[in-house]
Amino acid sequence: MDTEKSVSAAVGITLAFTALALLFAASAKAGDFPTGTTLTLETGRVRNGIAPPGVWYQPGFDYKANLESQSARAAITWKGKDWYRWQAGFDWNHQYSGNLRFVSDENYNPSLSPPCNVPCETPRTAHYTGTTHNFNLSVLPTYQVGRLSAFGRVGIAVFRSTMTVKTGNCVSGYDCSIIFPATYRMNKTGFSPYLGAGVEYRGWVAEVIAAPGISATLDSIQRGTVAYYVGYAWKI
């Protein structure tokens, strides 16, 4: 399964789980919910989704990417009404990277092999690295049986992406003395839905979180994240 489908599947699963948690929560009693405020620390892996083809990522040319990286998060959770909790958190995603070749938009033609109009430009090379971080606020519909809690997550994240792209090989029609080879350093700030589902038992937490709106500074390289976390929640 490709990454774009993985992101879509994770969003669908988390929405379904959240709906199920809401259904259980609506039929539960006040005593069925966790109480108190907790500090949760988690670590895991995040997978960055690759965006649809664009000026940078062009199927048919060489493309190698390491879209998975380590991730960590810290969050404070407190009780809302009987059926839900609030959570504010910060997610730190380590560096992802990739190497690719591409031509200009005007020269690119995916129906040909190689995928460029004749005469084909000399493909440019690019190496990129990037990181994403976000602050998030979520509501967690929660159902608890004994010490086991099942919860969904619906929230919003404010993210910050940084990316460095190094390109080489001049392309005709461009001012090569100014642009290529070159290093681009870019930043982007934006908002994303923040969806998830998980379980908690005796303080131990396991969950999956999807943020389909998080993207790199260059949307045509990276878009959407799915993260898998395990951690522990302390009462404070």
Side-chain angles (χ1 to χ4, degrees):
M1 180 181 292
D2 60 39
T3 307
E4 187 177 356
K5 291 181 179 178
S6 298
V7 172
S8 299
V11 171
I13 292 171
T14 54
L15 284 174
F17 197 98
T18 298
L20 185 62
L22 283 168
L23 180 64
F24 278 116
S27 62
K29 298 177 290 185
D32 292 331
F33 299 94
T35 60
T37 301
T38 59
L39 168 64
T40 303
L41 299 179
E42 297 173 286
T43 185
R45 298 284 291 177
V46 62
R47 182 162 181 81
N48 299 277
I50 191 167
V55 66
W56 293 91
Y57 167 55
Q58 296 174 340
F61 287 114
D62 295 338
Y63 181 80
K64 295 181 180 180
N66 177 23
L67 294 175
E68 290 191 12
S69 62
Q70 288 297 117
S71 183
R73 73 185 305 266
I76 298 291
T77 307
W78 66 97
K79 187 176 180 182
K81 298 294 184 180
D82 285 338
W83 58 274
Y84 69 85
R85 295 177 293 168
W86 288 100
Q87 187 179 89
F90 173 75
D91 298 1
W92 175 82
N93 297 333
H94 192 54
Q95 180 174 283
Y96 58 89
S97 62
N99 295 286
L100 53 87
R101 297 200 307 157
F102 63 99
V103 295
S104 65
D105 270 346
E106 296 78 11
N107 193 236
Y108 179 61
N109 188 338
S111 65
L112 299 178
S113 181
C116 50
N117 294 318
V118 179
C120 186
E121 298 172 351
T122 299
R124 281 175 284 177
T125 60
H127 172 72
Y128 66 84
T129 57
T131 61
T132 60
H133 315 296
N134 73 80
F135 289 97
N136 48 78
L137 179 65
S138 307
V139 60
L140 310 181
T142 305
Y143 183 70
Q144 182 165 340
V145 179
R147 296 194 176 188
L148 176 66
S149 298
F151 60 89
R153 176 188 299 278
V154 178
I156 189 169
V158 180
F159 70 87
R160 177 75 166 176
S161 295
T162 61
M163 176 171 281
T164 299
V165 182
K166 296 182 179 180
T167 63
N169 293 354
C170 182
V171 177
S172 60
Y174 290 87
D175 187 346
C176 302
S177 64
I178 298 177
I179 302 178
F180 301 106
T183 298
Y184 300 86
R185 292 184 177 88
M186 297 156 287
N187 300 309
K188 179 179 180 180
T189 302
F191 296 90
S192 171
Y194 193 75
L195 310 169
V199 293
E200 179 181 336
Y201 181 72
R202 293 179 178 266
W204 292 99
V205 181
E207 61 178 322
V208 56
I209 298 174
I214 289 181
S215 63
T217 308
L218 296 172
D219 288 341
S220 56
I221 286 184
Q222 181 271 324
R223 189 177 302 166
T225 62
V226 178
Y228 305 89
Y229 292 107
V230 293
Y232 192 82
W234 290 266
K235 289 186 177 181
I236 56 176

